[in-house]
Amino acid sequence: MGRLRTTLTVLAAAGLAAAGATTVTTATASPTGTTAACGLNLGSVTAGGDQTLQRLTASTPPAAGPRSVVPNVYSDGAVRMIGSLVNEATATGSSRHGRVVLGDTMYQHWLELDKAGKVTSSELARIGGGWSKFVDHETSVFNDSPTHPRTYEYALRADGVLFRWVVGDVGSWKPYGSAPGFASVKSMTLISKAAAYDTFLANTRGGALYTIRIPVNTQMRPIVTKVRSATWQGFESLVAGQCGNYGTVVVGIDKDTKSAYLYTFGHADGAKTSITGHGKVPGTFADPSYFRWAPPVKSDWLFGE
């Protein structure tokens, strides 16, 4: 991480501003059923460029914790896409980092907060342009080696071609395959990181729900398996996290109704996959971009398929 930061750090005049964090309390459901042990740290970027964090818990009905807000991290409306961001504690507060697309350009973003949640440092390093052609992106970092974890970047282009790159230790990107045929995908979220493959969960405009397993080889021939045939078309965003050893917690966000619904999935096995709907999450979900707050790579294990 240090080598990447040293090599790439370029302070970008993209409207980042140091600001204090605030906490907004939203309605929280009082569980009437058994509270599940898993949950999801949901992040978002608001239309005004604020960065938020909220813990969702897979109780029945689901619970939503206080919404932490760091205001004015980005310029109003600047963020087109954002992948998972890592959030980790430091001696002086917390550190956040990940990749964000502003306009046509992707950046690596580092954000440092003090213990009061106030921004002390915000740095952008330009990765490259041409990202206005893409509709989604995500990073998969597999901790097969504590010192040199495998890092892939995936991105879905508007014409339905899915791309993959290997990201090197010093920030170099190497193309590592592409696959057409995903034009019907509405949203996709990472649910598995393994030595031999990565797996995404995706919903389509027609309402179907699929897993997309991508083997770790240069051919990049995804294995697409139908999980459900209908009813999932309403979600513009799917965000997933770990639930137990082999399950997944998923929040689906319907931007038309500004609502979110929480689900837990058993280990993915096509149509046999067990899915438990926990119901509507309390609160309003009207932000343009949603993502997962991930723990540090050594603690981030996804075994959903």
Side-chain angles (χ1 to χ4, degrees):
M1 176 66 186
R3 292 176 64 194
L4 173 63
R5 188 167 183 167
T6 301
T7 303
L8 289 181
T9 299
V10 177
L11 296 179
L16 281 94
T22 61
T23 299
V24 179
T25 302
T26 59
T28 303
S30 298
T32 58
T34 302
T35 301
C38 56
L40 175 72
N41 291 329
L42 180 67
S44 74
V45 176
T46 70
D50 304 340
Q51 198 180 80
T52 81
L53 186 155
Q54 186 174 31
R55 179 70 175 177
L56 307 183
T57 303
S59 51
T60 303
R67 190 169 184 252
S68 174
V69 180
V70 181
N72 302 318
V73 174
Y74 308 100
S75 297
D76 294 1
V79 174
R80 280 197 63 250
M81 294 186 294
I82 188 165
S84 295
L85 299 184
V86 173
N87 185 39
E88 56 187 318
T90 64
T92 57
S94 62
S95 175
R96 300 176 173 185
H97 55 88
R99 298 189 179 101
V100 58
V101 175
L102 307 179
D104 187 56
T105 304
M106 178 178 281
Y107 296 88
Q108 178 76 22
H109 187 195
W110 294 279
L111 192 69
E112 305 289 336
L113 306 178
D114 63 18
K115 291 184 177 181
K118 183 178 179 180
V119 176
T120 59
S121 175
S122 185
E123 302 176 17
L124 286 175
R126 187 181 187 276
I127 293 173
W131 288 91
S132 58
K133 300 175 183 178
F134 290 83
V135 295
D136 205 354
H137 79 92
E138 183 57 289
T139 305
S140 172
V141 183
F142 178 66
N143 190 30
D144 55 351
S145 166
T147 55
H148 292 88
R150 182 197 78 203
T151 303
Y152 292 158
E153 189 73 21
Y154 294 91
L156 180 63
R157 204 166 60 187
D159 61 359
V161 180
L162 183 62
F163 292 84
R164 178 180 60 189
W165 295 265
V166 176
V167 181
D169 288 346
V170 294
S172 60
W173 285 41
K174 178 182 177 182
Y176 196 48
S178 63
F182 297 96
S184 65
V185 168
K186 196 170 185 180
S187 176
M188 55 193 294
T189 183
L190 187 67
I191 64 169
S192 275
K193 302 185 294 182
Y197 60 88
D198 289 322
T199 302
F200 287 86
L201 182 73
N203 67 322
T204 68
R205 293 176 179 83
L209 189 68
Y210 293 90
T211 54
I212 305 170
R213 176 189 280 207
I214 306 172
V216 179
N217 54 51
T218 54
Q219 288 81 16
M220 192 172 169
R221 295 176 180 171
I223 301 167
V224 179
T225 305
K226 184 180 290 185
V227 177
R228 294 293 188 270
S229 60
T231 76
W232 289 83
Q233 70 274 10
F235 298 130
E236 282 76 27
S237 294
L238 297 177
V239 181
Q242 180 184 2
C243 182
N245 290 331
Y246 300 106
T248 305
V249 56
V250 178
V251 59
I253 298 164
D254 184 341
K255 294 185 179 180
D256 293 332
T257 61
K258 299 178 175 59
S259 56
Y261 295 82
L262 201 63
Y263 303 86
T264 47
F265 284 58
H267 198 62
D269 186 20
K272 297 179 182 178
T273 306
S274 64
I275 303 177
T276 300
H278 295 270
K280 186 178 180 180
V281 181
T284 301
F285 295 82
D287 296 333
S289 300
Y290 287 90
F291 61 91
R292 176 177 76 110
W293 285 107
V297 61
K298 294 180 181 180
S299 304
D300 189 27
W301 300 102
L302 296 175
F303 293 120
E305 194 236 14

